[in-house]
Amino acid sequence: MADIATREEYGLEFSHIHWNLKAPALYEEAIKRGEAKVSANGPLIVDTGQFTGRSPNDKFIVKDEYTENLVDWGAVNQSMDSDAFANMHAGIRAFMQDRDVFVQDLYVGSDEGYQIPVRIITQYAWHSLFARNMLIRQAPPDSPGLYTVIDMPGFRANPDRHGSATSTCVAMNLKERLVLIANTEYAGEIKKSLFSIMNFELPSKGVMPMHCSANHDEDGKVAVFFGLSGTGKTTLSADQSRTLIGDDEHGWSNAGVFNFEGGCYAKIINITPESEPEIYATTQRFGTILENIGFDDDTRTTDFTDASKTENTRAAYPISHIPNASKTGLAGHPSDIIFLTADAFGVLPPISKLTRDQALYHFLSGYTAKVAGTERGVTEPTATFSTCFGEPFLPLKPSSYAELLGRKIDQHDVRVWLVNTGWTGGAYATGERMKLSYTRAMLKAAIDGELDDVPTEQHPIFGLEMPTHCPGVPSHLLNPRNTWQNKSAYDKQALDLAKMFKENFNKFQSDVSKDIILAGPNLETILN
């Protein structure tokens, strides 16, 4: 139970505090409050209300003497002044009075040298379980640097008083080490605000923060997988033959790779025991939270094919639910980096090896494509570029992360691969999705060194080196142009995509070397 000083510090003098409850007690509290239901197999079933994903336009960082010259201000990192943040904090403190609140003391970062202790204060019991699932479940070390997240879905921000854009707001005060979350039931805002903090804190310590999954083989050889939602980052890292380090957020220090988190947040739309056996097994276990899925109230059974609420259905579970997960969250330096993209235009090769400069070009580009049905209003393939595969979570200038990654690649002689898990034989609706078994075979061959001496051919527009054969994969698939019946249609589509890459990369022209710029698509050769 919190002492009087702690209660006053957080504005909880008259609140009923549930301190560090474990999963069974949080289940009871969530059910008692009508926040959740229990499925027949044990997971907690929740609905995240209006928001089924993050609300990036409602995220703000306090601009003060501490952050003014550090944060890369703009559309991604919107500024809020200190007085507006103080007003919002006062409003949330008043809101918490006479209410039940749930507190978890946890930390972010498996490497003790770079851990950040965090205190998560939530209005909902299931949000407290989410935090407990996703973060590292030990008492934070007795060290300075505690960050606090106050998550109150029932509090509505006032744009006039609080400097927000709407009644929903995620506001970070990096000087005070305080995050305020208002008017959203999407618990992922807790997780991602802490990732933003790690992206702010670690680069100055020589640690590369990465939006990636990671695993290693029995010899300790590490592979990291960058990729946006829907590219296979979680699926491909959950390989039964390898040890999972983590599925989403890692740091790369002078000692190696370490997981930021203690849990996984997997996308589960259409999941089956055959397609993703390890992740599917977590959806049948006590302690897992299942968000926005199909659910039968009478039988208490789940329907993972139901996308009526959202395509972004999720499972949040402790990483210990994965049988081959790392016990420490620590590993050595990567031998391989994989950039995953789901190219819905059917242009990019299923696997290609990148030079260092190409690696930094594609890292800064962070390309994938949305397909029809994944978001309201998306009726045809749409290119998406998310800088460093995590643009919404980067408080610093993107080039600073690219420079740090480049130094790590050079220092440890890391191989870098671009892997397209998207379409082949045509664009979305005319081609077909690359088979998962083929992607797994290509990744295995790349990581095991079986592609190192394989002859390659160069993509004429993107300059990518494409292997001419790979064990377990039909050779004609390795050059995407070969899979299209209409070759001229492929050439036009490839040129169109290259133009999108070029247009997106214009914003980095003054921040990166000429070699990195030239590592992108070669439009001049084609147009001339």
Side-chain angles (χ1 to χ4, degrees):
M1 181 61 65
D3 58 30
I4 296 299
T6 302
R7 285 176 173 272
E8 291 178 351
E9 178 184 358
Y10 292 107
L12 303 174
E13 299 95 325
F14 304 105
S15 301
H16 181 200
I17 303 175
H18 301 271
W19 207 274
N20 290 321
L21 297 185
K22 294 182 172 62
L26 289 170
Y27 261 60
E28 292 174 357
E29 295 293 340
I31 293 165
K32 181 170 68 176
R33 288 167 169 72
E35 300 172 5
K37 300 173 182 178
V38 180
S39 78
N41 292 318
L44 202 66
I45 309 298
V46 301
D47 187 306
T48 63
Q50 175 187 355
F51 295 98
T52 59
R54 295 179 303 100
S55 185
N57 295 332
D58 292 310
K59 175 189 165 188
F60 295 85
I61 299 175
V62 171
K63 188 173 187 178
D64 54 24
E65 71 282 0
Y66 177 55
T67 59
E68 184 172 7
N69 297 318
L70 293 175
V71 171
D72 184 33
W73 301 106
V76 172
N77 297 308
Q78 301 177 95
S79 65
M80 173 182 284
D81 67 48
S82 299
D83 289 342
F85 182 88
N87 287 339
M88 184 172 168
H89 189 197
I92 284 181
R93 286 171 66 99
F95 177 83
M96 290 190 293
Q97 297 300 320
D98 298 320
R99 294 180 184 272
D100 285 5
V101 296
F102 299 85
V103 181
Q104 292 286 335
D105 287 321
L106 306 159
Y107 64 84
V108 185
S110 299
D111 187 323
E112 291 184 3
Y114 305 104
Q115 289 172 346
I116 292 182
V118 294
R119 175 163 289 156
I120 313 296
I121 302 173
T122 65
Q123 178 183 352
Y124 290 174
W126 84 259
H127 280 203
S128 191
L129 178 61
F130 177 91
R132 187 175 178 84
N133 278 358
M134 295 310 304
L135 303 179
I136 297 176
R137 293 164 295 282
Q138 295 173 225
D142 293 329
S143 64
L146 175 74
Y147 269 89
T148 301
V149 177
I150 304 179
D151 165 56
M152 295 289 131
F155 179 81
R156 295 175 62 84
N158 182 322
D160 293 333
R161 285 183 48 78
H162 305 139
S164 59
T166 68
S167 58
T168 300
C169 188
V170 179
M172 294 188 288
N173 189 320
L174 297 170
K175 180 181 178 182
E176 295 185 4
R177 295 175 175 262
L178 177 62
V179 179
L180 305 175
I181 302 174
N183 195 41
T184 172
E185 297 178 47
Y186 184 69
E189 296 285 13
I190 299 172
K191 164 187 160 70
K192 289 307 185 184
S193 64
L194 293 172
F195 185 44
S196 297
I197 287 165
M198 297 298 269
N199 278 309
F200 177 76
E201 295 279 356
L202 292 185
S204 64
K205 301 174 183 178
V207 177
M208 176 69 195
M210 304 181 293
H211 188 206
C212 70
S213 58
N215 61 26
H216 66 76
D217 65 13
E218 59 184 8
D219 297 323
K221 183 185 288 187
V222 175
V224 299
F225 303 78
F226 288 86
L228 304 176
S229 178
T231 60
K233 179 163 55 73
T234 298
T235 299
L236 292 167
S237 61
D239 185 331
Q240 296 181 64
S241 67
R242 297 173 65 87
T243 298
L244 178 68
I245 305 165
D247 88 319
D248 195 43
E249 301 170 7
H250 294 80
W252 185 359
S253 72
N254 289 333
V257 171
F258 63 97
N259 192 1
F260 286 169
E261 300 182 302
C264 302
Y265 196 33
K267 193 169 182 178
I268 55 171
I269 190 69
N270 295 322
I271 193 171
T272 66
E274 295 73 30
S275 64
E276 300 177 68
E278 293 194 334
I279 296 173
Y280 181 85
T282 71
T283 68
Q284 311 299 304
R285 292 190 58 173
F286 179 87
T288 294
I289 300 170
L290 301 179
E291 295 181 354
N292 300 317
I293 64 166
F295 183 68
D296 188 307
D297 283 322
D298 291 331
T299 62
R300 301 280 162 169
T301 54
T302 53
D303 179 2
F304 296 121
T305 67
D306 187 345
S308 58
K309 180 72 187 288
T310 177
E311 290 270 347
N312 191 36
T313 55
R314 295 272 178 170
Y317 50 90
I319 197 170
S320 57
H321 277 15
I322 299 290
N324 62 327
S326 169
K327 299 291 191 295
T328 65
L330 303 170
H333 298 288
S335 63
D336 296 87
I337 292 173
I338 297 98
F339 295 149
L340 298 169
T341 181
D343 177 23
F345 298 102
V347 167
L348 295 179
I351 188 165
S352 50
K353 190 172 183 180
L354 305 182
T355 65
R356 176 195 186 274
D357 291 328
Q358 284 176 329
L360 298 186
Y361 183 94
H362 284 275
F363 178 66
L364 284 167
S365 297
Y367 165 71
T368 193
K370 297 174 184 175
V371 297
T374 57
E375 288 190 9
R376 198 175 300 169
V378 178
T379 58
E380 58 185 30
T382 305
T384 299
F385 296 92
S386 183
T387 305
C388 306
F389 297 95
E391 183 175 44
F393 322 117
L394 305 181
L396 309 180
K397 203 168 189 177
S399 58
S400 65
Y401 300 102
E403 290 168 6
L404 184 52
L405 180 62
R407 291 200 298 272
K408 297 284 188 185
I409 290 172
D410 291 341
Q411 183 179 356
H412 301 287
D413 193 24
V414 184
R415 295 174 297 199
V416 185
W417 307 87
L418 180 65
V419 172
N420 176 18
T421 63
W423 275 255
T424 184
Y428 173 80
T430 59
E432 60 183 16
R433 190 85 188 250
M434 182 63 62
K435 290 182 179 179
L436 180 59
S437 60
Y438 291 159
T439 300
R440 289 194 186 278
M442 286 183 277
L443 286 172
K444 183 180 186 306
I447 294 168
D448 289 349
E450 296 178 17
L451 299 183
D452 288 353
D453 298 321
V454 170
T456 62
E457 55 181 320
Q458 190 176 76
H459 194 283
I461 297 179
F462 283 86
L464 303 168
E465 293 296 332
M466 305 175 290
T468 55
H469 66 265
C470 175
V473 182
S475 294
H476 77 281
L477 292 178
L478 297 173
N479 184 332
R481 191 174 188 269
N482 294 339
T483 68
W484 284 53
Q485 288 187 348
N486 187 333
K487 307 301 190 222
S488 61
Y490 173 84
D491 294 340
K492 180 182 184 304
Q493 187 73 84
L495 187 59
D496 288 345
L497 181 59
K499 290 176 181 177
M500 296 180 211
F501 267 84
K502 286 287 192 181
E503 182 179 355
N504 172 72
F505 209 80
N506 284 337
K507 60 191 174 189
F508 302 119
Q509 298 286 344
S510 61
D511 295 327
V512 301
S513 71
K514 185 177 180 181
D515 288 340
I516 295 175
I517 296 170
L518 293 176
N522 188 354
L523 290 180
E524 288 74 17
T525 299
I526 300 300
L527 294 175
N528 292 333

